[in-house]
Amino acid sequence: MPFLNQSEREALIQELKNMPFGPAKRKLRAMDPKGRLVFYRNNQRIGQWLTRFELPSFGIRATLVEAFGMQAKKNGDIKGEYELIDVVVEPTPDNRT
């Protein structure tokens, strides 16, 4: 498989930004059989949770950035929800396109 160039990476970013977290995660997992989940909902920044996939066949690292918010229900319960706010797709060092 060829590595993704800059325009293809931008197209992937736009496609993933329009999806909820679950379908975006499934798409990244299904893209590359050699791909791996690097970390899942890792919190290194205040208010942001990061999930990163490495797809070596495409020469990219894709990071899904989420925000966490609390939602109050009608019956008084409080439910936490994650919202996909950003997608970062970076080339790996092997990808020189």
Side-chain angles (χ1 to χ4, degrees):
M1 284 182 223
F3 288 155
L4 297 182
N5 61 27
Q6 180 65 32
S7 63
E8 293 169 332
R9 290 192 300 266
E10 289 295 327
L12 180 61
I13 289 171
Q14 294 307 316
E15 183 180 352
L16 293 174
K17 275 187 178 181
N18 295 327
M19 295 181 170
F21 177 75
K25 184 176 78 162
R26 281 190 292 278
K27 177 167 180 58
L28 289 171
R29 287 183 60 105
M31 278 179 67
D32 187 359
K34 294 181 182 178
R36 68 183 188 97
L37 176 64
V38 179
F39 48 81
Y40 177 73
R41 287 191 174 153
N42 187 356
N43 186 316
Q44 294 292 325
R45 300 182 203 154
I46 296 172
Q48 293 184 350
W49 280 258
L50 308 174
T51 301
R52 178 173 289 168
F53 291 89
E54 190 169 313
L55 307 174
S57 298
F58 291 101
I60 60 170
R61 247 181 264 134
T63 306
L64 304 174
V65 181
E66 295 177 283
F68 184 75
M70 301 298 257
Q71 299 281 330
K73 291 185 173 182
K74 290 181 181 177
N75 62 0
D77 291 343
I78 296 176
K79 180 181 178 188
E81 291 188 2
Y82 291 94
E83 177 188 358
L84 184 63
I85 58 171
D86 195 16
V87 177
V88 179
V89 178
E90 308 166 314
T92 58
D94 297 339
N95 185 352
R96 297 170 197 218
T97 58

